[in-house]
Amino acid sequence: MTIERDISAIRRLYDEITDVLSMEQAARDRVVPKVSAWTPAEQIAHVSKANRWVLSSLVAILTRGKEFAESGKPTATGRFVLGTGFIPRGIGRAPSAALPDTPVNIDRLRDTIETQVRHLDTIDAERHQVARSQQQFRHPVFGFLTPRQWIRFVHVHTKHHMKIVRDILSES
């Protein structure tokens, strides 16, 4: 998948996130244990915490020349997930820094999502630089990723959690 397609897919997912955050509180706070212990709002809060760091780091590379002095390779798990675009359910565990706050503050979450969309605009405008950059920074499970791979991660990870949100919302 090209960086353009990943960015376009991320934009569509963020539109969907915005729609979910506009739903009634009962829908956003619904728990369906056979699908997930987290509510749709908590799924989105988790995604926003993970993406906030990634997107702001990429913007810092692009606009302020931030450099990461790390190097390495993606792990086998990272290569699998980024290559297939699929994260198996129920296996991974979110690091404590990416756990959703409970209760989720919807207004703050909306603001965070809006900021991330602006970051995505900046990244999109410089997507060719992102695609060429060989800088790396480390994901706790997927290993060392380049900016291009981080964009792929944002797409795959957000898609994974939004599928869970859709499954929760579709349960009767």
Side-chain angles (χ1 to χ4, degrees), residues 107-126:
D107 291 331
R108 190 173 359 170
L109 184 54
R110 282 186 185 112
D111 291 344
T112 301
I113 294 301
E114 287 174 13
T115 298
Q116 290 175 13
V117 169
R118 286 192 301 276
H119 285 336
L120 193 59
D121 291 342
T122 300
I123 292 164
D124 192 18
E126 300 293 334

Side-chain angles (χ1 to χ4, degrees), residues 38-96:
W38 287 353
T39 67
E42 290 168 331
Q43 295 284 343
I44 292 168
H46 162 69
V47 165
S48 79
K49 282 189 169 190
N51 290 356
R52 179 178 55 213
W53 182 78
V54 173
L55 296 174
S56 63
S57 293
L58 292 176
V59 167
I61 289 169
L62 294 169
T63 63
R64 296 191 303 274
K66 179 172 176 65
E67 292 195 25
F68 289 88
E70 301 179 292
S71 65
K73 296 183 187 241
T75 63
T77 301
R79 287 190 307 275
F80 171 80
V81 168
L82 297 177
T84 64
F86 174 73
I87 299 174
R89 271 196 201 176
I91 294 174
R93 296 288 171 251
S96 60

Side-chain angles (χ1 to χ4, degrees), residues 5-170:
R5 285 186 183 159
D6 278 329
I7 290 172
S8 179
I10 295 166
R11 286 186 186 284
R12 287 190 302 275
L13 290 163
Y14 270 76
D15 287 345
E16 186 177 359
I17 285 170
T18 301
D19 291 345
V20 172
L21 294 179
S22 297
M23 290 178 172
E24 295 290 326
Q25 181 178 354
R28 291 189 316 252
D29 291 346
R30 187 168 186 210
V31 176
V32 179
K34 70 180 183 179
V35 177
S36 175
W38 287 353
T39 67
E42 290 168 331
Q43 295 284 343
I44 292 168
H46 162 69
V47 165
S48 79
K49 282 189 169 190
N51 290 356
R52 179 178 55 213
W53 182 78
V54 173
L55 296 174
S56 63
S57 293
L58 292 176
V59 167
I61 289 169
L62 294 169
T63 63
R64 296 191 303 274
K66 179 172 176 65
E67 292 195 25
F68 289 88
E70 301 179 292
S71 65
K73 296 183 187 241
T75 63
T77 301
R79 287 190 307 275
F80 171 80
V81 168
L82 297 177
T84 64
F86 174 73
I87 299 174
R89 271 196 201 176
I91 294 174
R93 296 288 171 251
S96 60
L99 291 174
D101 297 329
T102 50
V104 174
N105 181 319
I106 295 299
D107 291 331
R108 190 173 359 170
L109 184 54
R110 282 186 185 112
D111 291 344
T112 301
I113 294 301
E114 287 174 13
T115 298
Q116 290 175 13
V117 169
R118 286 192 301 276
H119 285 336
L120 193 59
D121 291 342
T122 300
I123 292 164
D124 192 18
E126 300 293 334
R127 66 185 173 274
H128 299 296
Q129 183 181 343
V130 171
R132 287 190 310 266
S133 176
Q134 292 304 304
Q135 281 200 63
Q136 296 177 324
F137 48 104
R138 188 179 177 280
H139 182 279
V141 175
F142 298 163
F144 294 93
L145 305 178
T146 65
R148 169 68 191 98
Q149 291 167 321
W150 277 108
I151 289 295
R152 180 73 174 150
F153 166 79
V154 168
H155 173 196
V156 172
H157 183 249
T158 305
K159 177 178 73 172
H160 168 76
H161 285 282
M162 289 311 294
K163 180 164 184 348
I164 296 169
V165 167
R166 281 183 231 116
D167 288 351
I168 293 168
L169 295 173
S170 69

